[in-house]
Amino acid sequence: AITYGGTGPPGTASQTLTEYYNGSSWSEQADLNQGRFMGCPATLGSQTAALFAAGAYNGTDQVNVESWNGSAWSEVNNVPTAKHSYAAGAGTQTAALAIGAGPPNRALVASWDGSNWTDVGELNTGRYFNSAAGTQTAGLTFSGDVDNTFTANTEAYDGTSWTELNNLNTVRATGGGAGTQTSALMISGNIPSPTSTQKAETEQWDGTSWTEVGDVATARTRPGSTGATATNAMITGGYSPAGPIITNTEEWEISNFTVKTLTTS
């Protein structure tokens, strides 16, 4: 896995750090050109071909986009609006979506073809601090902040337009997303009332509905990395109730199965 950017303890600058995960430990790699946090990094690419779109630097929204080739970051074309700084990302380094915008909430969606961004079909429910999964032509977004009212809304993208689907069981925002349009995870996040509270809940999407599954050990918001599949994902970093900043990494895997040979007659 790869994680990049983020924010440090209160009073420190937004981070330029990039780190690799080899299954047991993290190692530092070449830094970003522009330090920032949030933005659209989640699921956008792989350890050797990643993309970081928008984000915020010390409270200032950013439009710049950087591409990772496995050894260094290079600046590529900007997103259409800095409001994507608090949106979700889905896809790959050369075929991605920036989903949602704000604050204030906006329904904007931009598509990346490896060279340029194009505004495409808007969400039915505008939001930011949302999570996402899937690809450029089969995307999924869920959760989010609709101007201080959190949502459980889920929408799917067919390459042209968005369709509303069944909601999450727990309303929340600023969590992690992993997987595809038909098999996804919503990991952790926070709820707005009575006070902003980090949640440990994980929900699994089967293409039709969400089901509560195993909780994370450390509840958190704004995780740094959540993987690309719903059956073998991970989550690292973020804000925890005891934090505020944590370095904790957790791995997710589906239940083990036993294969049995059956004789029929």
Side-chain angles (χ1 to χ4, degrees):
I2 182 173
T3 190
Y4 37 90
T7 186
T12 63
S14 301
Q15 299 294 303
T16 59
L17 297 173
T18 300
E19 296 192 35
Y20 272 0
Y21 184 64
N22 64 6
S24 60
S25 61
W26 292 91
S27 59
E28 291 197 17
Q29 308 297 318
D31 287 355
L32 289 157
N33 294 290
Q34 172 66 63
R36 54 195 137 145
F37 65 100
M38 298 305 293
C40 301
T43 75
L44 291 186
S46 66
Q47 194 182 66
T48 57
L51 192 73
F52 194 1
Y57 175 73
N58 294 352
T60 302
D61 293 347
Q62 303 293 307
V63 295
N64 62 307
V65 179
E66 296 187 41
S67 181
W68 172 256
N69 65 6
S71 59
W73 291 96
S74 58
E75 296 273 354
V76 291
N77 285 329
N78 293 348
V79 292
T81 172
K83 292 299 181 183
H84 285 298
S85 294
Y86 300 96
T92 67
Q93 185 190 50
T94 57
L97 292 174
I99 307 166
N105 87 82
R106 300 170 76 177
L108 298 173
V109 179
S111 179
W112 169 254
D113 63 6
S115 300
N116 298 290
W117 293 91
T118 305
D119 286 322
V120 292
E122 294 189 352
L123 295 163
N124 294 288
T125 301
R127 68 191 88 178
Y128 53 96
F129 289 151
N130 49 314
S131 300
T135 67
Q136 183 189 49
T137 56
L140 189 74
T141 194
F142 35 92
S143 74
D145 189 327
V146 187
D147 292 338
N148 298 317
T149 300
F150 286 12
T151 182
N153 176 276
T154 301
E155 297 188 39
Y157 184 63
D158 62 6
T160 303
S161 60
W162 293 87
T163 302
E164 295 205 14
L165 303 173
N166 286 322
N167 289 352
L168 289 157
N169 294 288
T170 301
V171 173
R172 53 189 144 161
T174 64
T180 67
Q181 190 181 71
T182 57
S183 178
L185 290 177
M186 170 70 192
I187 312 169
S188 207
N190 71 315
I191 57 174
S193 60
T195 58
S196 181
T197 303
Q198 289 88 351
K199 302 296 288 183
E201 282 88 342
T202 299
E203 296 189 39
Q204 193 164 36
W205 171 255
D206 64 5
T208 302
S209 59
W210 293 96
T211 303
E212 295 261 3
V213 288
D215 290 356
V216 294
T218 303
R220 69 193 75 193
T221 65
R222 305 184 186 182
S225 179
T226 50
T229 72
T231 55
N232 193 13
M234 64 181 295
I235 189 169
T236 188
Y239 289 87
S240 77
I245 305 296
I246 57 173
T247 58
N248 171 288
T249 298
E250 298 185 41
E251 296 181 358
W252 164 264
E253 60 183 13
I254 59 172
S255 300
N256 292 323
F257 294 91
T258 299
V259 179
K260 295 184 177 180
T261 301
L262 301 180
T263 302
T264 61
S265 61

